[in-house]
Amino acid sequence: GWVPVYLMFLLICNFRSSVCQALVLEIGETVQILEKTEGKSSSYVHLKKSTVSNRGLCETVVPLEDPIITETTSTLQEWGVLWKQLYVKHKVDLFHKLRHVMNELIDLRRQLIQGHLAQDQTREIKRHITVRLDWGNEHLGLDLVPRKEFEMVDQDHISVSELYKLCSSSVRSQGDNMRQRHGDGCQVPVQHHLFINLKSFTYNTISEDADVFFSLYDTRDNKQISEKFMVRLNKNGGPKNPEKVDRLCALFTDLSSKDLKRDLYIVTHVIRTGRMLLNDSKKGLPHVQYRRPYGCAVLAMSDVFHTITDLKEEKDFVLKVYTCNNENEWFQIHENIIRKSSTKYSAPSTNYGLIISLQLLRGELDQIRRENQAVFSRALAITRKLGFPDVIMPGDTRNDLYLTLERGDFERGGKSVQKNIEVTVYVLYADGDTLKDCISLGSGEPNTSEHRSFVLYHNNSPRWSEMIKLPIPIDRFRGSHLRFEFRHCSTKDKGEKKLFGFSFTPLMREDGTTLSDESHELYVYKCDENTTFSNQGLYLSMPCCKEDFNSCPNLPSTLPFQRNPKETFWVSTQLCSTKLTQNVDLLALLNWKAHPDKVLDILGQLRHINGEEIVKFLRDVLDTLFCLLDDNTDKYGPLVFQSLVFIINLLRDSRFYHFRPVMEAYIQNHFAGALAYKELIRCLKWYMDRSAEVVRQDHIQEAMRALEYLLKFIVQSRILYSRATCGMEEELFRASIQELFQSIRFVLSLDSRSSETLVFTQAALLNSFPDIFDELLQMFTVQEVAEYVRGTLGSMPSTVDIGQSMDVVKLQSIARTVESRLFFFPESRSILLPVVLHHIHLHLRQQRELLICSGILTSIFSIINTSAMESSVQEEVEMMVESLLDVLLQTLLSIMSKSQSLETARGQRCPQCTAEITGEYVSTLLSLLRQMTEVHFHHLLNNFHSKEELKEFLLKIFCVFRNLMKLTIFPRDWSVMRLLTSHVIVVTTQYLSPALHKNFSEADFDFKVWNSFFSLTVLYINQPSLQLEPLTQAKRKKVLDKYGDMRVMMAYELFSMWQKLGENKPHFIPGMMGPFLGVTLVPQSEVRNIMIPIFHDMMDWEQRQNGNFKLVEAELMDKLESMVSDGKGDGNHRELFGLLLLEKIEQETWRETGISFVTSVTRLMERLLDYRECMKGDEMENKKIGGSSNLMNFYKSEMNKEEMYIRYIHKLCDLHLQAEDYTESAFTLLLYWELLHWEDRPLREFLHYPTQSEWQRKEGLSRKVLHYFNKGKCWEYGISLCRELAFQYETLYDYQSLSWIRKMEAAYYDNIIEQQRIEPEFFRMGFYGRKFPFFLRNKEFVCRGYDYERLEDFQQRMLGEFPQAIAMQHPNQPDDALLQSDAQYLQIYAVTPVSDITDVPQLERVPERIKSFYRINNVTRFHYDRPFHKGPKDRENEFRSLWIERTTLILSRPLPGISRWAEVERRELVEVSPLENAIYVVENKTQELRTLISQYQHRQHHGNINPLSMLLNGVIDAAVNGGIARYQEAFFDKEYINSQPEDTERIAQLNDLMQEQVHILGVGLAVHEKLVHPEMRPLHKKLIDQFHMMRQSLYVVQQGLPAGYTGVNSPRGILTTHSHMSPESVRLIHRHSPMNLQGSIRQSSSSLSSHTSSEAGGNLVILTDGLMGEPPEDTAHMQVGLTCTHTHTQPSPSSSSLSSIRSTSSQIINSAPSSARGHFLMHFDAFHHQNSDPPPALPIRSLRKSPLHPIPGSPTSPQSALGGSNSTLSGSASSGVSSLSESNFGGQYPDPPVRNDAMEPVPSHLWTPEEYLDSPYLHIHYSGPEAESLDQVRPFHYRNPVSHLHPHSHPHDSLPPVSFPSAALM
C-alpha cells in the first residue's frame, strides 16, 4: 500500500522510463516524494530527509541538512550555467578562476557532508566555503548574501537595521579571511612567527664539523632579539645526527607587528670544531678539538617579509658566508657585513653558502599548530623571543636566564705570544653539584652540563659576545651560582689546555632578587691545573665583583684564592621569568610583615614597578593589598584603594589584556576580603565628591576607569560578608549604594564646559558605567537596577549644555546600556526606553552625532524584533512611533538633501552625508514601519491635531519614500534590502492612503498631497529592483513566493485612489499623463490592464471640459518618444494599448476622434520601437539611418510636430556624419534650412544652436551645408546655394562675405573640372517578411552604393546588417505567403540610373566629366533587364529571338538625398526588341573602348598596358570568333531586312555602330603598338591579324546590304557606301577624327599600314598613325568626354563586348555600372585656349552601360562574357553581357592612377600648328561676367544643380548659348 512520507530524493543518474506516466529526470535534479510503497529504493536516487514549509500550493521542500550545504548546492547549480557563458563571452581568466573555486567548493562540501570533523574544523571549513561563495557571487554580479555565523539569515527573524548591518559587514569582509572577534573592543595584537628551514650548507674549505647558529638581529638597537637556533653539521655538510636529515627547522615565535617593521636581519654564525688553524700542516685528526670562529652570513628581513607575507608555502633564499679578516673583529662581524665594511671581511671565492627557506605564519601558536601539522611534525625547534612577547598569557610559565660571555682582559703571563683563551661555564647548586643539562647553546640541540666557548687565536683581550641560555629550575635558582674557568690552549705538540684562572657569580642576591639585567665585571682569581673546586664554599665567601667587595667590609686578610687585579671578565645577563623578580620594591611589598613600619613607603612605590613584574605575581600582590586593608583600614585604606586602581588599569593595557580572566578568577575563587566593600565604597564616593573641587583629577579619572572591577570587588565582598553574617547590614549596604549613585549623578550633572579636566572625569565615568550593570544585578532586582540607571542617564545635561566631545561619550554610554543584558529584560526596557528615546530625539532634532544614534536605534530594534511575541513590545513600538517617527523623517530628508547637493557640487564630502549614514537611517525608519501594525497606524493618524499637521506628515513620508527610490541608497546587488524596502513601502502606503482619501478629497482636496502620492506610486512601480522579467526563473519564483508582484499591488492602490478622486481628476490632466504612461510601459500585463483604462478616463474628462482631448494627445505623444527612447515599451504594450482603449471608446459619443487618436499613438509607437531597435549599439549605420529618417518623416507628415521633426533631422545628420556620408548630411540639414526664412525674427536656444536671429541661423546652416557638399564632392549642389548666399550678402552690401562666397563658387567650378569623382553603383533591395522593422517590412528600396562597392560586397554588407535574413536567389516578385511569413527575406540586385539629361541635345557638346555627374545624381528612375525568348527560340542564331524585359523603378524621392536609400514608389515594365538590345550592347562596348584608349593616349596608366591588351583582345577575338558576326548574321540578313521593314533605321544604326567600333579598334591598336612591350609583340601581331579578319568580315556584310542602304542616315555613321566620299561625308568623318581622309596616305612602320583602304567605294577606311590630312574649314566644333572603366573577371555590365554567354530566359540582365575598379571620370581640356594639344581622335559617344548584371551565385549566372580569345557562340541565347577574361594577361590589372592632366590625342607628331590654330572644337566656358547672359538670381531647387553654360561665339558656328534653367527653392 501507499504510505505518506516527507522525503526528497536526489538523482544520481539520468532516468528514462518506458512507462508513459513516468518523469524524465536529469542527474542532480531533486524530487519530492509524497507517498511510497513498500520495497527497495531505486538505484537511480539518493534519499534525503526533508521538511516542508508553506504547506499548500506554494510549499517549499527544504532538506534536513546543514543550511550551508544547501546553499552551496544551489549556488553551484546557478554558477554552472553562468560559468559556461563566461567561456562563450571570452572571459577566459574569470572562467578558469571560477572553475578552480567551484572545485574547491565541491571538495569542502564533501568534507562537511561526511561529518568526520571536529567542531573547530567544521567552523573553519564553513568559513572557507562562505569566503568562496561571496567571492564568486561578487565576480558574477549576483546578489549579496547576508550572513550570521556563516549561515544565510532569515530576514523575517531580524530587524531591517540588523539586516543592513549584516549586508554592510558582508561587503567589508569579502575577501577578508579574518575571523570575527568578540570582546569589549580591546584589540589584541596579532602574533607572527617565522619558520626557517636549513636545506643545505655547501662549503669547500672547512672539512671539519661545524655549529651553525641562527638568530634575529635588530640593527637599529644593535642587539639580538631572539634566542639562537643551533644546527650541528658534520664535515660533509650534513646533519651530525642522521635522524635530523630534512628536519633542520625552527620557528621564531612571538614576533609582533612592530617587530616586523624593525630593521631586522637573520644573522648566521658558523663555528667550526677542529684544529686551531685551518692551514695546519699536521696530518691526521687533532687529539684536542677547539671551537673556532669560521664565518658569518646575514639576510635583510625587510625584503623577505615583503616577499613572503602572503605566501602559503616556503620560499628559498641563499646566504653567502663571509670570513673574518681579523679575529679581534669577530664579535661584530655581522655588523660589518650589514654595514658593508668590506675591508674587515672576505667574500667567498664562489657563491657557496647556506640555502634556507622561510615562511611567515600568523596567529596564536596553538592555532598554527593545528593548521600546520606537517610543519610541526618535523621536529620543529621552538625559538623564543628574548624577553616577554607583547601579549603575556597567564599560563605562560618561563624561567630563563640568558648569559652572554662578553669579553676579558688577561695578562700575557711571561709568554712571548698572547694566549689562546677558552672559557668553560658551569652551573652549580649550593651543595656544589653541577646542575645537569642546564646550559643551552641554542634551540634544536639538547642541553649540556658545561659549555666551552670558542677560542680566539693569540688574543689576551678576547671579545666573544657569545650568548647561552640557562634554563635553571625555579626550585634550584636560589643558592645556585655560575663558575667560569679560563684555560690557555697550547698549539704545541701536546696541544694541552692549561687552567690559569676562574670567576664566579651567584644567581640571587641576599635580598632575594635575581642578578640584574646588565653587564657584570667579575673578578678573576688565580689558579692552576692542580686546583680542585670540591669545596665551593672556599671561593663563594670571597667577593665576586666590585659591588660584592664593597658590601663585604670585613673580609679576612688571607683568602683561599688570590685575585689578579690586572685581569677582569665581563658577562651580561637577562632574566625572563614568570616566577622570579629582580624588583626590590615588589619583594618588599610581598614581605611587608618583615618591615611593617615601611608599608606606607612600599605602597607608594608600587606605581613605579614594571607592569610585567606585577602581572607575574598578580594573585600574591592582591592578597597582600587586601591583607593590609584588613590589618588597618583607616591607615592603609586610601593607599590600598589607589594601588588597586593602578593594578586594575594596568590590565587595560593590550599587553596584559589576557590577565583580565586571571583577575576575574581571583575575585570569584580566591578573594576573601569580606569587609573590603565598605572601605572601597567609601573611597570611591570620596573621590567622586571631590571632583567638583580638585583641579588635578588624574587620580579621580583613574578611579572612574577602574569602576567595573571595583564594583566586582565590592559586590563579591558583600556576598562574602552576607554569607558569613546571614545577610546582616543589608539596608546599610543598599543605602551606601544609593549614596554612591547619588555621587555618580552629581559628577555627571556638573557643568564641564569651563573645566577640561572635569570633562575627562565625566567621560571616564560614562565609559565605565555600563560595565557595572551585571554586577548590580547580582545584588538587586532588574527594576531596581533599571531605576538606578534611569536616574543616572536622566541626570546628564541635554546636548545644548555640553560640548560635542561629551556628546559622543554620553551617546556611547547609552549605546552600551542598550546593548547590555539589562536592556533585554522587558521590565527594565519599559523604564529605560523613555529616557533613551528622549536623548536620541534631542540629537536627531539638532542633527548631531547621527551615526551613534543610528547604532543605538539598530540595537533597540534588534531587541524588539527578537521579543516581538511579548505584549510589552506593542507599547514600546507605540512609544517609539510617538517619539521618533516624525524626527526620523525630518532627519532623512535633511541627510538626503545634503547628499544630493553634494553630488551636484562635487564638493568636500561631509561625514554626516555619507551613504553609510543614509543607509543606517533608512534601515532604522524601515524597521520602525515594519514593526507598526494597523493599530499603530490608526493611533498615529488620529493623533494629529489638525489637517495641516497630517498633510505635513504625509508629504514628508511620501517624499522620503520617493527619495528611497530615486537615490541609490543600497547597492545593486543588495536585492534582499531592496525588496524588503519595497515591501515596507507598499504596506505603509496601503495604511496611509485611506487617510489621504478621507481628509483631502472633495471640498478639502489638496493637490500637493495627491500629486505626491501619485508620484510615489509611479516611481515605485518603475523601480529597477521590482522588474522581475530580467531575473532567472529560480530567482523570480523566489521573489514571487515571498512577496508576490509588488508592482501589481501598488498599481491596484494607484487605480483605486484615481477612482476616488472623482471630480478632482482634471487637476492631473495632462500632468500625470507622462508618469502614468511610464507605468503602462512596465512589462507586466496585469499592471498594463489596470493602468491603460485610466487614459480613457483622462480623454473623457478632457472631452467634457474642452470638447476635445488635444492636450492629452500632445502630452502623450511627447512623453511616448522620450520613454521609448529610454528603452521602455514593447510590441505587446502597443497592441494592448490599442485593444483596451478602442474597447472603451466604442461606447463614447466621441468615438471617431478617439479611434483616430489611438491609431496615431499605436502608429507612432510602432515607429519608435523600430527606431529604438535600429539604434542599438551593435546595429549597422544603415539600419540606424533608416529608422531615424522613417521616424523623422512620420513626425512631419502625420504628427506635424515641427520640434520633434527638427530634432530627428539633426540626429539623422549626426548618423550620416559618423558614416562619412557628407552628401546625405547636407541634404538632411537642408530640410531644416527650408523651414527657415531670411528674416530677423529672434530664435531661442535650441539643441546646439545659441540664441540668435533666424537670418543668422539660416546663414550658419548654409555654410555648414556647403561644407558637407564640398566634402561629398557634390559641388553642383553647392553652387546654387553659393548663389543664394551671394544674393543675400549683396542685398546687405556685405562685400567681404560676398567675396568669400564668390571665391568658393569659383573653387567649386574648378573642382568640377579638375578633381576626379567615382561613380557609385546602385542596388535594388527588397525586404520581405514580418520580422523586418516596420519601416522596411515588405518594401523595396534603391540604395546608392559606396565608392568601389560591387554587388557582391553590397550583398555581404546587407546580410551582415540583417544576420537573420535569407538571401533570395531569384528576381521574381514575392507572393503573399512570403510577405506574411515570420522570417526575413532579402532580395538584392543591381540597377542602372536613368537620367533625364539624355533628352537635352545641348549636352552633346558638354565635357564628359560634367555630364557624368548629371547621369548619376538627382535620379528618380532606375531600371534592370531580364532576357527572354519571345516565341520559338531561333536555333541558328539566338540573337534574333532574344528580347529584354526592362523594369523601371520610380522612387519616392531622388538619389542622392537625405539617405542612401530611397523607397520605390511604383514600377513600369517594357520589352526591348533583339535589335534594340544589340544596338545598346555595341554602343556600350564602343564607349568603353573609347574611354580606355583615351586614357592611354594621355598616359594615365604609367606603362601598364595589360588592361588595354585585354580589352582589345576581348573585342577583336570575340568578333572574329563570332561576336559582331552573330549580330550581322541575325540582323543584316536580307530575309530579316525584308521581313522587318520598320527596323531599317535601327539596322543602319547598328551597322554604323559596328563600323564605328572598328574605327576605334584601329585607333586602339595604333596606341597599343606605341606602348606594347617587346615581349608582347607576338600578341600585338595576333591582334592585328585578327583585326584584319574582323574588318574583312564586316566588309563582306557591307557588300551584302540592299541597294539604296546608306549609313549616312545615322548621325553616328562613320563609314559610307558611296563610291566616292562627298565633302559631307568627309566632314562627318572629321567630326570624329581630326585626320583628313583626302590627303595622301603616308606609309609608316606600322603593321597596319598594309591594311589601309583605297578610295574605291565601299572600302573600309582604317585610321592609323600613318594617315594625315588637312582639315576642312567647316568642321563641326565638339567637346568630347570619356569615361574609363576597368572590370574584374566577374560578369559586369560595363565590360560588355560581343562574345556569347550562357544564359536562361529568367536571368536578370542588369545594367548597373561596374565598380570593380571604380570609374575614373576624366575630361578634355581641349576647350581651354592655352592647351597646345588637339582633342583626341575618337568619335563622341554618350556613356551607356550594359543592361545585364546577374545576381552572384545564381545557378543561371553566365560563366563567360563577350571578351576573351577563346569565346565562341553557344547554341543558347546570349544576353550580350561581357566581361574581360584575364586569364591571358596574368590576372587582374591594378587600379588606374588618378590623373588631372589634359588627355593627349593620337601621337602629337601627327599634328601641325596650323591644324591647331584652326581647331574645329568649340571652346566652352562657364558662367562669366557677361551680365546679359545671366538670368536674375532666383532661389534655387537643390534637386537640379546645373551650372549655366555660355559658349563663346565662333565664326563657323551660330549655335545659341546653352542654358539650363534653375527651379525655385521649395
Side-chain angles (χ1 to χ4, degrees), residues 1684-1700:
C1684 161
T1685 307
H1686 283 183
T1687 66
H1688 279 302
T1689 54
Q1690 288 282 69
S1692 175
S1694 61
S1695 59
S1696 67
S1697 177
L1698 298 176
S1699 83
S1700 60

Side-chain angles (χ1 to χ4, degrees), residues 230-259:
M230 177 184 179
V231 177
R232 289 191 187 276
L233 302 176
N234 59 30
K235 63 181 180 181
N236 299 317
K240 203 163 185 180
N241 183 352
E243 295 178 1
K244 291 203 169 185
V245 175
D246 293 331
R247 297 162 78 90
L248 302 176
C249 47
L251 190 69
F252 286 84
T253 62
D254 301 327
L255 299 176
S256 65
S257 300
K258 186 178 173 184
D259 288 332

Side-chain angles (χ1 to χ4, degrees), residues 220 242 500 941 1533:
R220 194 176 299 166
F500 67 86
L941 296 169
D1533 182 58

Side-chain angles (χ1 to χ4, degrees), residues 1048-1248:
V1048 177
M1049 295 161 66
M1050 191 59 100
Y1052 276 119
E1053 195 65 32
L1054 171 56
F1055 183 78
S1056 164
M1057 294 300 283
W1058 172 262
Q1059 296 301 339
K1060 290 174 183 174
L1061 267 177
E1063 299 291 327
N1064 294 307
K1065 288 178 183 174
H1067 288 99
F1068 300 97
I1069 304 171
M1072 289 313 285
M1073 286 289 296
F1076 287 178
L1077 177 65
V1079 173
T1080 65
L1081 291 172
V1082 168
Q1084 214 283 351
S1085 54
E1086 197 171 349
V1087 171
R1088 289 174 174 176
N1089 284 322
I1090 295 165
M1091 292 300 298
I1092 288 174
I1094 290 181
F1095 293 113
H1096 166 258
D1097 213 8
M1098 289 181 161
M1099 291 162 68
D1100 189 39
W1101 278 97
E1102 184 75 5
Q1103 183 74 25
R1104 285 191 219 171
Q1105 281 199 319
N1106 302 330
N1108 61 55
F1109 38 81
K1110 287 202 175 346
L1111 275 174
V1112 172
E1113 182 176 0
E1115 185 73 11
L1116 195 64
M1117 297 288 191
D1118 283 347
K1119 294 293 185 287
L1120 196 61
E1121 192 271 339
S1122 63
M1123 288 181 182
V1124 175
S1125 298
D1126 289 343
K1128 298 177 180 176
D1130 50 40
N1132 172 266
H1133 175 269
R1134 180 177 56 80
E1135 293 168 10
L1136 204 60
F1137 187 89
L1139 197 68
L1140 291 175
L1141 283 186
L1142 288 175
E1143 187 182 320
K1144 291 272 187 185
I1145 288 168
E1146 278 299 322
Q1147 289 82 32
E1148 301 291 351
T1149 53
W1150 41 272
R1151 187 167 62 87
E1152 288 183 13
T1153 52
I1155 291 171
S1156 170
F1157 162 69
V1158 173
T1159 307
S1160 292
V1161 171
T1162 51
R1163 281 167 58 76
L1164 173 61
M1165 191 158 189
E1166 195 167 45
R1167 283 157 177 77
L1168 286 169
L1169 290 171
D1170 278 348
Y1171 172 75
R1172 186 179 77 195
E1173 191 66 26
C1174 294
M1175 295 306 288
K1176 284 180 180 172
D1178 53 351
E1179 293 294 347
M1180 300 294 183
E1181 292 299 327
N1182 275 334
K1183 207 183 280 190
K1184 293 180 180 179
I1185 289 167
S1188 300
S1189 56
N1190 171 58
L1191 191 54
M1192 180 187 79
N1193 292 331
F1194 182 79
Y1195 275 121
K1196 181 187 179 186
S1197 57
E1198 298 193 33
M1199 303 298 294
N1200 199 21
K1201 288 192 170 291
E1202 186 174 282
E1203 186 172 319
M1204 295 306 298
Y1205 172 59
I1206 295 169
R1207 282 181 188 278
Y1208 277 92
I1209 284 174
H1210 287 83
K1211 287 185 180 181
L1212 182 57
C1213 178
D1214 290 342
L1215 288 172
H1216 283 315
L1217 291 176
Q1218 287 172 21
E1220 298 186 359
D1221 294 340
Y1222 297 110
T1223 303
E1224 283 72 17
S1225 301
F1227 279 121
T1228 305
L1229 276 186
L1230 275 172
L1231 297 176
Y1232 185 32
W1233 187 91
E1234 287 178 337
L1235 297 175
L1236 300 170
H1237 300 90
W1238 297 107
E1239 297 174 0
D1240 287 332
R1241 182 167 62 94
L1243 295 180
R1244 63 182 174 85
E1245 187 178 339
F1246 179 61
L1247 298 176
H1248 56 273

Side-chain angles (χ1 to χ4, degrees), residues 681-697:
I681 291 174
R682 188 187 69 78
C683 290
L684 190 55
K685 187 176 184 307
W686 184 83
Y687 270 70
M688 290 181 181
D689 293 341
R690 293 267 296 159
S691 59
E693 308 160 11
V694 183
V695 177
R696 287 197 53 147
Q697 301 199 355

Side-chain angles (χ1 to χ4, degrees), residues 677-678 680-690 707 711 714 730-748 765 769 776 780 788 792:
Y677 74 89
K678 296 179 181 178
L680 292 178
I681 291 174
R682 188 187 69 78
C683 290
L684 190 55
K685 187 176 184 307
W686 184 83
Y687 270 70
M688 290 181 181
D689 293 341
R690 293 267 296 159
L707 190 61
L711 254 291
I714 289 169
E730 182 68 24
E731 289 305 317
L732 282 174
F733 173 71
R734 285 177 170 271
S736 62
I737 291 293
Q738 184 75 36
E739 289 172 5
L740 181 63
F741 269 92
Q742 285 176 353
S743 297
I744 291 174
R745 290 171 198 156
F746 168 72
V747 174
L748 293 178
L765 177 55
F769 182 65
L776 293 172
F780 303 98
Y788 284 140
T792 306

Side-chain angles (χ1 to χ4, degrees), residues 102-156:
M102 288 169 75
N103 286 330
E104 286 184 329
L105 281 171
I106 291 168
D107 185 55
L108 291 166
R109 176 179 173 274
R110 178 183 53 75
Q111 293 180 48
L112 266 189
I113 290 173
Q114 287 172 346
H116 304 312
L117 298 170
Q119 194 171 353
D120 57 341
Q121 290 176 319
T122 302
R123 181 182 174 82
E124 191 63 15
I125 283 184
K126 285 184 177 182
R127 184 178 69 82
H128 281 297
I129 287 175
T130 53
V131 165
R132 282 155 181 75
L133 290 176
D134 291 342
W135 180 90
N137 287 336
E138 183 186 8
H139 283 78
L140 290 172
L142 300 176
D143 293 338
L144 178 78
V145 179
R147 306 176 186 285
K148 202 171 188 179
E149 294 296 318
F150 309 126
E151 291 179 11
M152 289 193 295
V153 295
D154 185 346
Q155 61 206 52
D156 293 335

